[in-house]
Each structure stands twice: as structure tokens, then as C-alpha cells.
Amino acid sequence: MRLSSRRLVMREPEAGDIDWVTTELQDLEIQRNTTVPSPYARADAERFVHNANTGQRTTFIITETGQRAGAISLHLHDKRAPSIGYWIGKTARGRGIATEAVTRVCRWGFEELGLPIITWSAKVGNEASRAVAANAGFQMEGTLRLRSMSQGALRDCWVGSLLPHELRDIP
């Protein structure tokens, strides 16, 4: 599976990504703001790559001009609306990569998978993720108390959703 946008290619994770994922996820900001294990070990990256596209999840490594920038997943839950999650490596932040990747993956979900809605959540205080979601067209719906596990503790999280007609185009 491969998706592309104006400047990004999103591809399936592969064994050659394990060391890169391990290194990127030492970033305490990613550990604080996502549900990745903390501390993050190479064995976690091996599991991430091995399980990337099994079950109800499709995961992509985001690349820009051949350089890895982050990862994005679309989760198709059995009893809940599909959800999107993503992280961007420290050196790739601030360039609109996450917004472009989220927009492309959501477009694929709506147009190719026929999804009626995609949800988003982020730990309260993760302003960068919230800005990405809002820029893609997600409507903020509120705060769920103690709903997300991060760094071994339950945390409050913001939630939002996106309908097909709300998805924004990236110039």
C-alpha cells in the first residue's frame, strides 16, 4: 500500500525502518503526547513494524523527498468510528507535513474505503496535534476525562471528528 500527495509518499513500514523508529521515539515530546510505550525500546519498534498493517489498522511511514518524516495510522475499530493517529519526527516538524499526510490518508479513507466519519484524539495540551487536525477540517467536539493512556497514566484527551465534506484541500 502506497499513498502520495503533492510532496509526500506514505508507504508501509518495513524492517529497514526499525532503527529509525527506535531513534525518533526516544523524543520525550512524542512519548508525552502519544500512546507509544515509554520508555521506548527497539523491541517496541520491531512490534510496530511487524504489526503495522494487521487487523484493523493501516499504518504508513511518511516520507518527504525520500527522507522519513513520521508515521500515520488509520484505525478501523469494530465498535467505534475509525480514528487517525500520527507523529512527526523532531527534524520534520513545522513544515505542514502532518497536515498534508492527515488530509491524504483521510481522503483515502473516505474515497477508497467509504468511511462515513474519521475521529481524532490527542492528549489535552497537545496543541500541535490539535492544529493539524483543525487544519485538515476536523471539528473539535470536546474533552474526554481520563480516556487516553500515556506514559503509564490515564490522561484527559481532546476529541474531534471529520465528515467527508469537511475535509480541506491542501494547496
PDB file of all heavy atoms in Angstrom, residues 11-24 42 45-46 48-49 60-61 63 68 87:
ATOM      1  N   ARG A  11       4.191   5.084   2.780  1.00  0.00           N
ATOM      2  CA  ARG A  11       4.386   3.685   2.424  1.00  0.00           C
ATOM      3  C   ARG A  11       4.326   2.806   3.661  1.00  0.00           C
ATOM      4  O   ARG A  11       4.438   3.297   4.787  1.00  0.00           O
ATOM      5  CB  ARG A  11       5.719   3.507   1.718  1.00  0.00           C
ATOM      6  CG  ARG A  11       6.884   3.956   2.595  1.00  0.00           C
ATOM      7  CD  ARG A  11       8.207   3.418   2.136  1.00  0.00           C
ATOM      8  NE  ARG A  11       9.301   3.913   2.945  1.00  0.00           N
ATOM      9  CZ  ARG A  11       9.657   3.435   4.124  1.00  0.00           C
ATOM     10  NH1 ARG A  11       8.976   2.456   4.691  1.00  0.00           N
ATOM     11  NH2 ARG A  11      10.686   3.924   4.782  1.00  0.00           N
ATOM     12  N   GLU A  12       4.170   1.513   3.424  1.00  0.00           N
ATOM     13  CA  GLU A  12       4.131   0.571   4.542  1.00  0.00           C
ATOM     14  C   GLU A  12       5.470   0.557   5.281  1.00  0.00           C
ATOM     15  O   GLU A  12       6.521   0.645   4.651  1.00  0.00           O
ATOM     16  CB  GLU A  12       3.842  -0.838   4.031  1.00  0.00           C
ATOM     17  CG  GLU A  12       2.445  -1.012   3.510  1.00  0.00           C
ATOM     18  CD  GLU A  12       2.154  -2.452   3.144  1.00  0.00           C
ATOM     19  OE1 GLU A  12       2.515  -3.359   3.924  1.00  0.00           O
ATOM     20  OE2 GLU A  12       1.559  -2.655   2.077  1.00  0.00           O
ATOM     21  N   PRO A  13       5.436   0.429   6.596  1.00  0.00           N
ATOM     22  CA  PRO A  13       6.683   0.267   7.346  1.00  0.00           C
ATOM     23  C   PRO A  13       7.370  -1.036   6.947  1.00  0.00           C
ATOM     24  O   PRO A  13       6.709  -2.017   6.611  1.00  0.00           O
ATOM     25  CB  PRO A  13       6.222   0.202   8.807  1.00  0.00           C
ATOM     26  CG  PRO A  13       4.886   0.862   8.815  1.00  0.00           C
ATOM     27  CD  PRO A  13       4.268   0.523   7.482  1.00  0.00           C
ATOM     28  N   GLU A  14       8.681  -1.014   7.000  1.00  0.00           N
ATOM     29  CA  GLU A  14       9.465  -2.202   6.653  1.00  0.00           C
ATOM     30  C   GLU A  14      10.595  -2.379   7.655  1.00  0.00           C
ATOM     31  O   GLU A  14      10.879  -1.476   8.451  1.00  0.00           O
ATOM     32  CB  GLU A  14       9.996  -2.079   5.222  1.00  0.00           C
ATOM     33  CG  GLU A  14      10.702  -0.775   4.962  1.00  0.00           C
ATOM     34  CD  GLU A  14      10.869  -0.462   3.494  1.00  0.00           C
ATOM     35  OE1 GLU A  14       9.959  -0.714   2.687  1.00  0.00           O
ATOM     36  OE2 GLU A  14      11.945   0.082   3.156  1.00  0.00           O
ATOM     37  N   ALA A  15      11.240  -3.529   7.600  1.00  0.00           N
ATOM     38  CA  ALA A  15      12.288  -3.850   8.578  1.00  0.00           C
ATOM     39  C   ALA A  15      13.367  -2.773   8.642  1.00  0.00           C
ATOM     40  O   ALA A  15      13.898  -2.481   9.712  1.00  0.00           O
ATOM     41  CB  ALA A  15      12.895  -5.210   8.264  1.00  0.00           C
ATOM     42  N   GLY A  16      13.684  -2.149   7.509  1.00  0.00           N
ATOM     43  CA  GLY A  16      14.697  -1.101   7.491  1.00  0.00           C
ATOM     44  C   GLY A  16      14.310   0.153   8.252  1.00  0.00           C
ATOM     45  O   GLY A  16      15.148   1.034   8.458  1.00  0.00           O
ATOM     46  N   ASP A  17      13.066   0.251   8.687  1.00  0.00           N
ATOM     47  CA  ASP A  17      12.601   1.415   9.453  1.00  0.00           C
ATOM     48  C   ASP A  17      12.779   1.247  10.958  1.00  0.00           C
ATOM     49  O   ASP A  17      12.618   2.215  11.710  1.00  0.00           O
ATOM     50  CB  ASP A  17      11.111   1.670   9.176  1.00  0.00           C
ATOM     51  CG  ASP A  17      10.839   2.048   7.735  1.00  0.00           C
ATOM     52  OD1 ASP A  17      11.642   2.810   7.160  1.00  0.00           O
ATOM     53  OD2 ASP A  17       9.825   1.573   7.189  1.00  0.00           O
ATOM     54  N   ILE A  18      13.089   0.050  11.412  1.00  0.00           N
ATOM     55  CA  ILE A  18      13.102  -0.241  12.852  1.00  0.00           C
ATOM     56  C   ILE A  18      14.068   0.662  13.620  1.00  0.00           C
ATOM     57  O   ILE A  18      13.696   1.260  14.636  1.00  0.00           O
ATOM     58  CB  ILE A  18      13.388  -1.734  13.116  1.00  0.00           C
ATOM     59  CG1 ILE A  18      12.187  -2.564  12.645  1.00  0.00           C
ATOM     60  CG2 ILE A  18      13.704  -1.992  14.589  1.00  0.00           C
ATOM     61  CD1 ILE A  18      12.417  -4.061  12.643  1.00  0.00           C
ATOM     62  N   ASP A  19      15.299   0.785  13.156  1.00  0.00           N
ATOM     63  CA  ASP A  19      16.268   1.627  13.884  1.00  0.00           C
ATOM     64  C   ASP A  19      15.833   3.090  13.876  1.00  0.00           C
ATOM     65  O   ASP A  19      15.958   3.786  14.888  1.00  0.00           O
ATOM     66  CB  ASP A  19      17.669   1.486  13.285  1.00  0.00           C
ATOM     67  CG  ASP A  19      18.302   0.135  13.588  1.00  0.00           C
ATOM     68  OD1 ASP A  19      17.878  -0.521  14.568  1.00  0.00           O
ATOM     69  OD2 ASP A  19      19.225  -0.267  12.851  1.00  0.00           O
ATOM     70  N   TRP A  20      15.313   3.554  12.738  1.00  0.00           N
ATOM     71  CA  TRP A  20      14.855   4.943  12.652  1.00  0.00           C
ATOM     72  C   TRP A  20      13.695   5.193  13.620  1.00  0.00           C
ATOM     73  O   TRP A  20      13.696   6.193  14.345  1.00  0.00           O
ATOM     74  CB  TRP A  20      14.454   5.271  11.208  1.00  0.00           C
ATOM     75  CG  TRP A  20      13.864   6.633  11.074  1.00  0.00           C
ATOM     76  CD1 TRP A  20      14.537   7.824  11.028  1.00  0.00           C
ATOM     77  CD2 TRP A  20      12.476   6.955  11.004  1.00  0.00           C
ATOM     78  NE1 TRP A  20      13.650   8.873  10.931  1.00  0.00           N
ATOM     79  CE2 TRP A  20      12.376   8.355  10.908  1.00  0.00           C
ATOM     80  CE3 TRP A  20      11.310   6.197  11.003  1.00  0.00           C
ATOM     81  CZ2 TRP A  20      11.150   9.015  10.822  1.00  0.00           C
ATOM     82  CZ3 TRP A  20      10.095   6.848  10.899  1.00  0.00           C
ATOM     83  CH2 TRP A  20      10.026   8.246  10.820  1.00  0.00           C
ATOM     84  N   VAL A  21      12.705   4.295  13.642  1.00  0.00           N
ATOM     85  CA  VAL A  21      11.567   4.447  14.557  1.00  0.00           C
ATOM     86  C   VAL A  21      12.063   4.457  16.002  1.00  0.00           C
ATOM     87  O   VAL A  21      11.657   5.298  16.804  1.00  0.00           O
ATOM     88  CB  VAL A  21      10.515   3.335  14.336  1.00  0.00           C
ATOM     89  CG1 VAL A  21       9.470   3.332  15.449  1.00  0.00           C
ATOM     90  CG2 VAL A  21       9.844   3.490  12.968  1.00  0.00           C
ATOM     91  N   THR A  22      12.966   3.534  16.325  1.00  0.00           N
ATOM     92  CA  THR A  22      13.516   3.470  17.684  1.00  0.00           C
ATOM     93  C   THR A  22      14.147   4.806  18.069  1.00  0.00           C
ATOM     94  O   THR A  22      13.890   5.336  19.156  1.00  0.00           O
ATOM     95  CB  THR A  22      14.561   2.345  17.798  1.00  0.00           C
ATOM     96  OG1 THR A  22      13.956   1.102  17.433  1.00  0.00           O
ATOM     97  CG2 THR A  22      15.113   2.248  19.212  1.00  0.00           C
ATOM     98  N   THR A  23      14.946   5.365  17.190  1.00  0.00           N
ATOM     99  CA  THR A  23      15.624   6.638  17.459  1.00  0.00           C
ATOM    100  C   THR A  23      14.626   7.785  17.599  1.00  0.00           C
ATOM    101  O   THR A  23      14.693   8.569  18.556  1.00  0.00           O
ATOM    102  CB  THR A  23      16.640   6.950  16.344  1.00  0.00           C
ATOM    103  OG1 THR A  23      17.610   5.898  16.320  1.00  0.00           O
ATOM    104  CG2 THR A  23      17.330   8.288  16.580  1.00  0.00           C
ATOM    105  N   GLU A  24      13.695   7.892  16.648  1.00  0.00           N
ATOM    106  CA  GLU A  24      12.723   9.000  16.684  1.00  0.00           C
ATOM    107  C   GLU A  24      11.863   8.960  17.937  1.00  0.00           C
ATOM    108  O   GLU A  24      11.519  10.005  18.494  1.00  0.00           O
ATOM    109  CB  GLU A  24      11.829   8.973  15.444  1.00  0.00           C
ATOM    110  CG  GLU A  24      12.531   9.352  14.169  1.00  0.00           C
ATOM    111  CD  GLU A  24      13.087  10.765  14.163  1.00  0.00           C
ATOM    112  OE1 GLU A  24      12.410  11.695  14.657  1.00  0.00           O
ATOM    113  OE2 GLU A  24      14.210  10.946  13.665  1.00  0.00           O
ATOM    114  N   ARG A  42      13.860  -0.824  21.245  1.00  0.00           N
ATOM    115  CA  ARG A  42      13.927  -1.383  19.893  1.00  0.00           C
ATOM    116  C   ARG A  42      12.864  -2.465  19.702  1.00  0.00           C
ATOM    117  O   ARG A  42      12.259  -2.564  18.637  1.00  0.00           O
ATOM    118  CB  ARG A  42      15.328  -1.933  19.607  1.00  0.00           C
ATOM    119  CG  ARG A  42      15.503  -2.358  18.154  1.00  0.00           C
ATOM    120  CD  ARG A  42      16.950  -2.762  17.855  1.00  0.00           C
ATOM    121  NE  ARG A  42      17.250  -2.691  16.441  1.00  0.00           N
ATOM    122  CZ  ARG A  42      16.841  -3.568  15.540  1.00  0.00           C
ATOM    123  NH1 ARG A  42      16.093  -4.585  15.892  1.00  0.00           N
ATOM    124  NH2 ARG A  42      17.171  -3.429  14.264  1.00  0.00           N
ATOM    125  N   ALA A  45       9.733  -0.957  18.533  1.00  0.00           N
ATOM    126  CA  ALA A  45       9.768  -0.611  17.109  1.00  0.00           C
ATOM    127  C   ALA A  45       9.597  -1.863  16.249  1.00  0.00           C
ATOM    128  O   ALA A  45       8.924  -1.825  15.212  1.00  0.00           O
ATOM    129  CB  ALA A  45      11.068   0.105  16.775  1.00  0.00           C
ATOM    130  N   GLU A  46      10.188  -2.962  16.667  1.00  0.00           N
ATOM    131  CA  GLU A  46      10.017  -4.217  15.921  1.00  0.00           C
ATOM    132  C   GLU A  46       8.548  -4.622  15.889  1.00  0.00           C
ATOM    133  O   GLU A  46       8.017  -5.011  14.846  1.00  0.00           O
ATOM    134  CB  GLU A  46      10.871  -5.321  16.546  1.00  0.00           C
ATOM    135  CG  GLU A  46      12.355  -5.107  16.333  1.00  0.00           C
ATOM    136  CD  GLU A  46      13.230  -6.025  17.172  1.00  0.00           C
ATOM    137  OE1 GLU A  46      12.699  -6.736  18.080  1.00  0.00           O
ATOM    138  OE2 GLU A  46      14.462  -6.031  16.947  1.00  0.00           O
ATOM    139  N   PHE A  48       5.977  -2.588  16.290  1.00  0.00           N
ATOM    140  CA  PHE A  48       5.291  -1.574  15.487  1.00  0.00           C
ATOM    141  C   PHE A  48       5.365  -1.925  14.002  1.00  0.00           C
ATOM    142  O   PHE A  48       4.351  -1.931  13.299  1.00  0.00           O
ATOM    143  CB  PHE A  48       5.919  -0.201  15.758  1.00  0.00           C
ATOM    144  CG  PHE A  48       5.453   0.881  14.826  1.00  0.00           C
ATOM    145  CD1 PHE A  48       4.220   1.484  15.006  1.00  0.00           C
ATOM    146  CD2 PHE A  48       6.246   1.298  13.770  1.00  0.00           C
ATOM    147  CE1 PHE A  48       3.780   2.488  14.143  1.00  0.00           C
ATOM    148  CE2 PHE A  48       5.822   2.295  12.910  1.00  0.00           C
ATOM    149  CZ  PHE A  48       4.588   2.885  13.094  1.00  0.00           C
ATOM    150  N   VAL A  49       6.546  -2.242  13.515  1.00  0.00           N
ATOM    151  CA  VAL A  49       6.717  -2.573  12.093  1.00  0.00           C
ATOM    152  C   VAL A  49       6.025  -3.891  11.767  1.00  0.00           C
ATOM    153  O   VAL A  49       5.312  -3.994  10.767  1.00  0.00           O
ATOM    154  CB  VAL A  49       8.216  -2.597  11.714  1.00  0.00           C
ATOM    155  CG1 VAL A  49       8.430  -3.214  10.338  1.00  0.00           C
ATOM    156  CG2 VAL A  49       8.790  -1.174  11.773  1.00  0.00           C
ATOM    157  N   PHE A  60       1.343   3.878   7.859  1.00  0.00           N
ATOM    158  CA  PHE A  60       2.266   4.334   6.830  1.00  0.00           C
ATOM    159  C   PHE A  60       3.442   5.058   7.473  1.00  0.00           C
ATOM    160  O   PHE A  60       3.275   5.761   8.464  1.00  0.00           O
ATOM    161  CB  PHE A  60       1.588   5.349   5.901  1.00  0.00           C
ATOM    162  CG  PHE A  60       0.377   4.836   5.190  1.00  0.00           C
ATOM    163  CD1 PHE A  60      -0.892   5.069   5.707  1.00  0.00           C
ATOM    164  CD2 PHE A  60       0.486   4.148   3.993  1.00  0.00           C
ATOM    165  CE1 PHE A  60      -2.018   4.624   5.044  1.00  0.00           C
ATOM    166  CE2 PHE A  60      -0.633   3.692   3.326  1.00  0.00           C
ATOM    167  CZ  PHE A  60      -1.891   3.933   3.849  1.00  0.00           C
ATOM    168  N   ILE A  61       4.611   4.916   6.865  1.00  0.00           N
ATOM    169  CA  ILE A  61       5.743   5.783   7.161  1.00  0.00           C
ATOM    170  C   ILE A  61       5.615   6.952   6.192  1.00  0.00           C
ATOM    171  O   ILE A  61       5.450   6.763   4.986  1.00  0.00           O
ATOM    172  CB  ILE A  61       7.092   5.058   6.958  1.00  0.00           C
ATOM    173  CG1 ILE A  61       7.235   3.904   7.954  1.00  0.00           C
ATOM    174  CG2 ILE A  61       8.263   6.039   7.064  1.00  0.00           C
ATOM    175  CD1 ILE A  61       7.320   4.303   9.414  1.00  0.00           C
ATOM    176  N   THR A  63       7.131   9.933   4.130  1.00  0.00           N
ATOM    177  CA  THR A  63       8.425  10.376   3.609  1.00  0.00           C
ATOM    178  C   THR A  63       8.251  11.646   2.779  1.00  0.00           C
ATOM    179  O   THR A  63       7.231  11.844   2.138  1.00  0.00           O
ATOM    180  CB  THR A  63       9.109   9.294   2.744  1.00  0.00           C
ATOM    181  OG1 THR A  63       8.332   9.061   1.571  1.00  0.00           O
ATOM    182  CG2 THR A  63       9.284   7.998   3.520  1.00  0.00           C
ATOM    183  N   ARG A  68      12.510   9.904   5.700  1.00  0.00           N
ATOM    184  CA  ARG A  68      11.452   9.602   6.647  1.00  0.00           C
ATOM    185  C   ARG A  68      11.143  10.836   7.492  1.00  0.00           C
ATOM    186  O   ARG A  68      12.052  11.510   7.962  1.00  0.00           O
ATOM    187  CB  ARG A  68      11.872   8.461   7.560  1.00  0.00           C
ATOM    188  CG  ARG A  68      12.137   7.165   6.850  1.00  0.00           C
ATOM    189  CD  ARG A  68      12.639   6.165   7.888  1.00  0.00           C
ATOM    190  NE  ARG A  68      13.211   4.983   7.313  1.00  0.00           N
ATOM    191  CZ  ARG A  68      14.518   4.717   7.259  1.00  0.00           C
ATOM    192  NH1 ARG A  68      15.399   5.569   7.740  1.00  0.00           N
ATOM    193  NH2 ARG A  68      14.944   3.589   6.732  1.00  0.00           N
ATOM    194  N   TRP A  87       2.489  10.824  14.303  1.00  0.00           N
ATOM    195  CA  TRP A  87       3.580  11.528  14.968  1.00  0.00           C
ATOM    196  C   TRP A  87       4.587  11.951  13.897  1.00  0.00           C
ATOM    197  O   TRP A  87       4.710  11.306  12.861  1.00  0.00           O
ATOM    198  CB  TRP A  87       4.249  10.721  16.078  1.00  0.00           C
ATOM    199  CG  TRP A  87       4.786   9.369  15.683  1.00  0.00           C
ATOM    200  CD1 TRP A  87       4.154   8.165  15.813  1.00  0.00           C
ATOM    201  CD2 TRP A  87       6.071   9.088  15.103  1.00  0.00           C
ATOM    202  NE1 TRP A  87       4.957   7.160  15.347  1.00  0.00           N
ATOM    203  CE2 TRP A  87       6.147   7.695  14.905  1.00  0.00           C
ATOM    204  CE3 TRP A  87       7.160   9.866  14.730  1.00  0.00           C
ATOM    205  CZ2 TRP A  87       7.259   7.070  14.360  1.00  0.00           C
ATOM    206  CZ3 TRP A  87       8.273   9.249  14.172  1.00  0.00           C
ATOM    207  CH2 TRP A  87       8.311   7.860  14.011  1.00  0.00           C
TER     208      TRP A  87
END
